[in-house]
């Protein structure tokens, strides 16, 4: 199995920088963004995920990338970095955004812009307990192993929809985060 290391990251940067993302104009849908954070571990990388607080009314307890809604007059890039700092304590100055993935529309009325960010070093996480219960990292290489993701079908408002599901140390990444993760890993595979 080929692995994602620093040389693959050097190939990922130009792929993302050269990618013109599909930006969706959404009449009535709310704008949000997430950061797909790559955390260095020597020559390899992990992805940072958070478990949303179980007390939240929307998507409580689900696994996500750091992110949220943009404030009035704020760019999506700035909103993603601000949200990451607020939610998990990673300062914006310690993250280099290296590209933007295609927008994703949620069934709950959001258009989400995913940005890929590389952390300069492994941070000391400081969680905002009202939004995040815990954080965890998953090695990119573990997510690239054969047979991953599993495709499950979910019922929603009378329809049956495919969902990409990733099992990570007893935690399941699925839904919107699974869709974004699948898109990101498809690009990563081009670098290997």
């Amino acid at each position: 199995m080929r692995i994602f290391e620093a040389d693959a990251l050097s190939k990922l940067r130009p792929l993302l920088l050269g990618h013109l993302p599909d930006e969706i104009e959404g009449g009535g849908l709310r704008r949000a963004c997430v950061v797909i954070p790559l955390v260095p571990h020597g020559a390899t990388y992990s992805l940072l995920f958070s478990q949303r607080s179980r007390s939240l009314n929307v998507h409580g307890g689900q696994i996500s990338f750091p992110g949220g809604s943009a404030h009035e007059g704020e760019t999506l890039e700035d909103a993603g970095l601000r949200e990451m700092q607020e939610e998990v304590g990673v300062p914006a100055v310690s993250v280099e955004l290296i590209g933007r993935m295609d927008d994703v529309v949620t069934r709950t009325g959001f258009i989400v812009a995913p940005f890929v960010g590389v952390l300069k070093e492994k941070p000391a996480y400081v969680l905002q307990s009202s939004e995040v219960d815990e954080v965890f990292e998953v090695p990119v290489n573990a997510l690239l192993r054969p047979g991953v993701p599993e495709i499950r079908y979910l019922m929603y408002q009378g329809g049956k929809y495919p969902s990409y599901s990733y099992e990570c140390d007893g935690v399941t990444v699925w839904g919107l985060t699974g869709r974004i993760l699948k898109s990101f890993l498809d690009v990563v595979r081009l670098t290997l």
Side-chain angles (χ1 to χ4, degrees):
M1 179 178 94
R2 296 176 295 171
I3 59 174
F4 183 78
E5 294 182 320
D7 64 329
L9 180 61
S10 68
K11 295 174 189 171
L12 181 63
R13 285 175 197 273
L15 273 178
L16 290 173
L17 289 172
H19 174 68
L20 184 61
D22 287 337
E23 296 184 41
I24 300 169
E25 296 297 323
L29 298 179
R30 295 171 285 176
R31 294 293 320 188
C33 53
V34 296
V35 176
I36 304 168
L38 285 160
V39 182
H41 292 274
T44 64
Y45 293 86
S46 291
L47 289 176
L48 169 65
F49 296 92
S50 61
Q51 182 173 30
R52 293 173 53 84
S53 171
R54 288 171 184 82
S55 65
L56 292 172
N57 293 331
V58 179
H59 308 298
Q62 291 183 3
I63 305 304
S64 66
F65 291 117
S69 297
H71 293 161
E72 185 71 32
E74 184 177 43
T75 68
L76 292 170
E77 294 91 337
D78 288 344
L81 293 171
R82 176 188 48 75
E83 287 283 346
M84 190 160 64
Q85 184 164 346
E86 289 174 4
E87 291 177 5
V88 298
V90 176
V93 297
S94 67
V95 181
E96 176 193 3
L97 295 181
I98 62 170
R100 178 176 174 178
M101 308 289 295
D102 295 339
D103 285 356
V104 180
V105 177
T106 73
R107 292 182 183 89
T108 54
F110 286 91
I111 299 172
V112 179
F115 294 90
V116 179
V118 180
L119 280 63
K120 295 177 182 167
E121 60 188 13
K122 182 174 170 50
Y125 299 113
V126 179
L127 308 186
Q128 184 179 38
S129 61
S130 63
E131 290 194 47
V132 176
D133 281 346
E134 64 180 295
V135 295
F136 60 98
E137 296 177 19
V138 178
V140 173
N141 294 320
L143 297 166
L144 293 169
R145 68 186 188 278
V148 176
E150 178 183 341
I151 299 177
R152 299 178 181 173
Y153 290 87
L154 305 173
M155 298 302 293
Y156 181 76
Q157 296 183 343
K160 187 176 179 181
Y161 300 91
S163 174
Y164 299 109
S165 180
Y166 295 82
E167 295 293 328
C168 311
D169 296 326
V171 177
T172 303
V173 176
W174 63 284
L176 173 67
T177 304
R179 287 170 41 205
I180 293 170
L181 178 58
K182 168 83 167 62
S183 294
F184 171 71
L185 294 174
D186 286 347
V187 176
V188 165
R189 283 184 175 92
L190 297 174
T191 69
L192 303 177

